[in-house]
Structure formats: structure tokens, C-alpha cells
């Protein structure tokens, strides 16, 4: 019996044609040592095994991608085990394309990577929720979210008017605070913030008092644009005071968090 393969098999002191076996006395002349060495397991593979996730029969699990800062749902894609492994290893999202049958990384072509912050799994362990920092936009059509269309009351699909850039969120407070600190540490004559810092704490506090009064007046007049503008002024000058006093804005976040009561404990299901 001759079997054909692409591998040259050698015996002791002789060479045989590729894949030819001498079956004399029922013994193959292939004396190459068996490769019993096992590749080391990827630790990430072990992590996935312990999770007990429920992949579909075709080996996929849907992943809902959410922008951590704004809470907006960005997209829904599918992962196989390898995509999930690479996501856990790299800290950026990877997916399996059901159409192209290839593994792909979000942002590999556009540069709009998604940095993973948290991963959740639903109660049935068959769907993932991944919170990310979205660089640029998520949608290939240029929208921040892939869900930029909505179904109207008359069953028509319309443009929801979604942003083509990341929406403003509370993260802007951190960004402004960082700029204020930079103006304190590296003052510039052209910077209002630097001049305000140099004028001292009393001047900063007077500005806060002025802005608080203007916010009260705007609120009494119930003009939305004016109210928003005055709150922005009040917040900005409050951040200047914090930076002047060397108090991180995160301390305010922690204080607010400590005042917030947690959700009520849900009753245990009897089912």
C-alpha cells in the first residue's frame, strides 16, 4: 500500500520517496520520532474557559460596544474565541467578520481604535457588553455611533441627527482642569487663566461670587442659553480655585460619589 503526502519520511540509514511506506510484515518504515511535545497553553485561553461563555454553534458571541464616557451604544459585532483572546491580550477590540470570514481589529484601517475599559457578560453568558474609550468615530460612514438612524412612528427610517464627533461629556471637566493646571505651572501673559492665577485667591473668589450671582439672575429669567453659559462660567472659575489651592477635581467626584446612595437591593427571585 502506498500513501502519498507532502512530507519526506526517512528510516535508519536510508531515504524513501516522499510519503512512501514499506508495509512488509505489516510495519511501516517510518521511523521518525513522534512529536509528543505540546505547545504551552495561552493563559488567556484558560481565562476564557473559566468564564463558561456560551458561544453559538458557529463559534461566535455577540458583543455590544458602548462608549464609556457618554454611555452611547457604538456598534454590535461578533467575536470568536480568538477575537476575544486578542481583545483581552491587547486591550483593544478585535472581532470576527461573518461576511469576510476574517479576524479584524477595530481601527486597523481608520485609526479609530477602541481601548477596552470594562467587559460585562449577560445573565445567560451568551452576550458581551464592552465599555471602551472610542478614538474618533465608530461608524464607517463617519458617525460617532453606528446607530444614527431611527424608526419613526410611521415606520419610516430617518436620520437621528447623531454626531460625527464624540459628544461632550463630564470628561470635559477633567480636560479643562488639566489646562488650568498647565496655565498655573507655565503662565502666559496672553492667558486669562494665568493672569487670574497671578492676581491671587481673593480675586478668584470674587469672580466665583460674580458668576454665581449671574447664574441666579439667568435662572430667574429662565433663558436656557444664558443659564447654560453662566453655569459654564461658574464651573470654570470653581476649577480655577481648585487648581490654585492644589485640590484635584477628582476629590469633588469622590465627595459626590460618597453622597450618592446605592440602588436598593432587589428581592430574591422565588422562581
Amino acid at each position: 500500500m502506498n500513501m502519498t503526502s507532502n512530507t519526506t519520511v526517512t528510516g535508519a540509514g536510508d531515504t524513501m520517496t516522499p510519503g512512501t511506506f514499506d508495509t512488509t510484515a505489516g510495519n511501516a518504515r517510518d521511523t521518525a520520532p513522534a512529536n509528543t511535545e505540546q505547545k504551552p497553553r495561552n493563559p488567556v485561553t484558560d481565562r476564557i474557559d473559566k468564564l463558561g461563555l456560551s458561544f453559538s454553534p458557529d463559534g461566535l458571541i455577540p458583543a455590544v460596544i458602548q462608549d464609556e464616557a457618554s454611555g452611547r451604544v457604538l456598534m454590535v459585532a461578533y467575536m470568536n474565541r480568538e477575537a476575544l483572546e486578542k481583545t483581552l491580550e491587547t486591550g483593544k477590540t478585535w472581532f470576527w467578520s461573518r461576511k469576510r470570514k476574517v479576524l479584524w481589529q477595530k481601527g486597523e484601517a481608520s485609526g479609530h481604535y477602541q481601548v477596552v475599559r470594562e467587559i460585562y457578560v449577560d445573565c445567560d453568558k451568551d452576550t458581551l457588553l464592552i465599555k471602551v474609550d472610542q478614538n474618533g468615530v465608530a461608524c464607517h460612514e463617519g458617525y460617532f455611533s453606528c446607530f444614527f438612524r431611527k424608526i419613526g412612528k410611521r415606520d419610516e427610517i430617518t436620520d437621528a441627527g447623531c454626531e460625527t464627533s464624540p459628544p461632550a461629556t463630564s470628561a470635559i471637566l477633567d480636560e479643562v482642569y488639566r489646562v488650568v493646571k498647565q496655565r498655573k505651572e507655565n503662565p502666559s501673559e496672553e492667558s486669562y487663566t494665568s493672569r487670574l492665577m497671578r492676581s491671587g485667591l481673593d480675586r478668584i473668589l470674587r469672580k466665583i461670587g460674580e458668576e454665581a450671582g449671574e447664574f441666579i439672575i439667568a435662572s430667574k429669567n429662565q433663558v436656557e442659553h444664558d443659564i447654560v453659559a453662566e453655569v459654564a462660567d461658574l464651573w470654570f472659575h470653581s476649577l480655577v480655585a481648585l487648581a490654585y489651592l492644589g485640590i484635584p477635581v477628582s476629590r469633588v467626584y469622590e465627595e459626590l460619589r460618597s453622597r450618592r446612595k446605592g440602588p436598593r437591593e432587589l428581592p430574591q427571585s422565588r422562581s
Side-chain angles (χ1 to χ4, degrees), residues 87-103:
T87 296
L88 293 172
E89 286 176 337
T90 66
K92 295 180 180 178
T93 54
W94 288 75
F95 305 103
W96 175 258
S97 172
R98 295 176 297 168
K99 183 177 181 180
R100 295 181 290 128
K101 306 298 181 184
V102 295
L103 194 70

Side-chain angles (χ1 to χ4, degrees), residues 215 217-230:
F215 166 60
I217 293 172
S219 299
K220 286 288 290 182
N221 292 335
Q222 299 185 29
V223 178
E224 181 176 334
H225 177 270
D226 293 346
I227 294 172
V228 171
E230 296 304 340

